[in-house]
């Protein structure tokens, strides 16, 4: 009986160790998958800039533009400027200023980051700009002071700015932000996709882990049941043919 219990515990421990190793390998493959996706997003951002009008126009859904660097020109509209509080950094704001293009379309532009509520003014006149095109931030929570907005949430901007607007916003790169007297704003790049093969490997390792642990538990139970049948046979309650495999031979 004691030997059987030792065998059962040993089998379950081996199953747990194998499952733990396989889960770790699955997590590593998932990390590789996510890292490849992030690298792909950065590589997409660093590709040569394309004209904004080639991927985004007012009133049209953007299908293949988010995460790309786009170029555009126009005039900033400073009277419509808003400050977006940076999470976890009290008194620090992203400076969101709309830029009106030649056809009257507004492009929401995060020019950079400012400490305090009096950022440097936007450039005057027609300017050439470029930056990474991003989709709407998540809906903000709670009220904010006048002249601020909780996040770059496009449905709210559409209500505040009456001119036609693209379905996204642009974050300027570090050099342009610095040239305007601001600190660079870190763009929230859209999640890229890693190798499907690595994702498949992660799932495969997790399936193996479940199988290893499940088989160890099944085998431990089988040994216990065989031991019980052997004791019943020794007591004459069942025949020798009903004993089944000898648990001592399974060690």
């Amino acid at each position: 009986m004691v030997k059987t219990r030792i065998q059962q515990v040993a089998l379950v421990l081996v199953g747990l160790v194998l499952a733990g190793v396989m889960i770790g390998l699955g997590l590593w493959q998932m990390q590789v998958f996510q890292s490849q996706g992030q690298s792909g997003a950065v590589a997409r951002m660093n590709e040569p800039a394309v004209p904004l009008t080639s991927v985004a126009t007012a009133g049209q859904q953007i299908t293949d533009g988010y995460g790309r660097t786009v170029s555009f020109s126009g005039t900033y509209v400073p009277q419509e400027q808003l400050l977006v509080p940076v999470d976890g950094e009290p008194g620090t704001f992203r400076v969101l200023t709309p830029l009106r293009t030649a056809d009257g379309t507004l492009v929401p532009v995060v020019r950079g980051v400012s400490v305090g509520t009096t950022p440097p003014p936007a450039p005057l006149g027609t300017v050439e700009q470029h930056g990474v095109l991003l989709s709407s931030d998540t809906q903000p929570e709670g009220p904010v002071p006048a002249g601020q907005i909780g996040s770059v949430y496009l449905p709210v901007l559409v209500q505040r700015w009456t001119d036609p607007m693209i379905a996204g916003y642009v974050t300027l790169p570090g050099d342009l932000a610095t040239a305007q007297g601001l600190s660079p704003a870190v763009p929230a790049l859209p999640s890229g996709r890693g190798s499907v093969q690595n994702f498949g490997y992660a799932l495969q390792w997790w399936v193996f882990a479940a199988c290893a642990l499940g088989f160890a538990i099944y085998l431990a139970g089988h040994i216990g049941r065989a031991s019980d049948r052997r004791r019943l046979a020794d007591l004459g309650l069942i025949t020798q043919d009903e004993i089944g495999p000898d648990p001592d031979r399974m060690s």
Side-chain angles (χ1 to χ4, degrees):
M1 180 67 178
V2 174
K3 185 175 181 180
T4 298
R5 291 291 179 263
I6 292 175
Q7 290 175 333
Q8 290 177 306
V9 171
L11 278 171
V12 173
L13 288 176
V14 170
L16 286 171
V17 171
L18 290 175
V21 171
M22 293 175 185
I23 289 173
L25 289 171
L27 291 173
W28 171 67
Q29 289 290 351
M30 183 58 69
Q31 185 178 21
V32 171
F33 172 78
Q34 293 173 340
S35 177
Q36 289 177 335
Q38 184 64 23
S39 297
V42 172
R44 179 178 171 86
M45 180 185 69
N46 290 331
E47 291 176 354
V50 298
L52 175 63
T53 53
S54 68
V55 294
T57 55
Q60 299 294 322
Q61 187 68 30
I62 297 175
T63 58
D64 185 32
Y66 296 132
R68 300 189 68 171
T69 295
V70 294
S71 59
F72 53 99
S73 63
T75 305
Y76 280 110
V77 187
Q79 63 270 24
E80 298 289 353
Q81 180 170 283
L82 295 167
L83 299 180
V84 186
V86 176
D87 291 339
E89 299 183 31
T92 303
F93 303 89
R94 284 186 291 169
V95 182
L96 177 65
T97 312
L99 179 145
R100 183 178 287 113
T101 60
D103 63 0
T105 298
L106 289 184
V107 180
V109 179
V110 173
R111 298 193 290 121
V113 173
S114 170
V115 177
T117 57
T118 310
L124 299 176
T126 301
V127 292
E128 298 283 343
Q129 304 282 257
H130 63 272
V132 59
L133 179 63
L134 302 169
S135 61
S136 175
D137 289 351
T138 56
Q139 185 172 1
E141 298 180 2
V144 293
Q148 299 182 22
I149 185 172
S151 66
V152 189
Y153 187 56
L154 298 182
V156 172
L157 290 180
V158 168
Q159 297 175 13
R160 299 188 66 148
W161 299 342
T162 57
D163 291 337
M165 189 178 74
I166 65 168
Y169 72 96
V170 175
T171 295
L172 299 185
D175 57 339
L176 292 184
T178 302
Q180 297 186 24
L182 298 166
S183 300
V186 179
L189 296 178
S191 298
R193 296 187 61 184
S195 169
V196 176
Q197 185 178 33
N198 290 107
F199 183 73
Y201 285 157
L203 294 180
Q204 186 180 46
W205 280 118
W206 292 335
V207 170
F208 287 165
C211 290
L213 183 57
F215 183 71
I217 293 173
Y218 168 79
L219 194 56
H222 182 73
I223 289 176
R225 290 190 296 272
S227 179
D228 291 341
R229 289 195 298 269
R230 180 171 182 141
R231 288 198 303 274
L232 291 174
D234 291 340
L235 295 172
L237 298 178
I238 61 174
T239 65
Q240 291 291 327
D241 292 337
E242 296 177 289
I243 294 178
D246 187 346
D248 291 340
R249 296 178 181 176
M250 302 184 71
S251 58

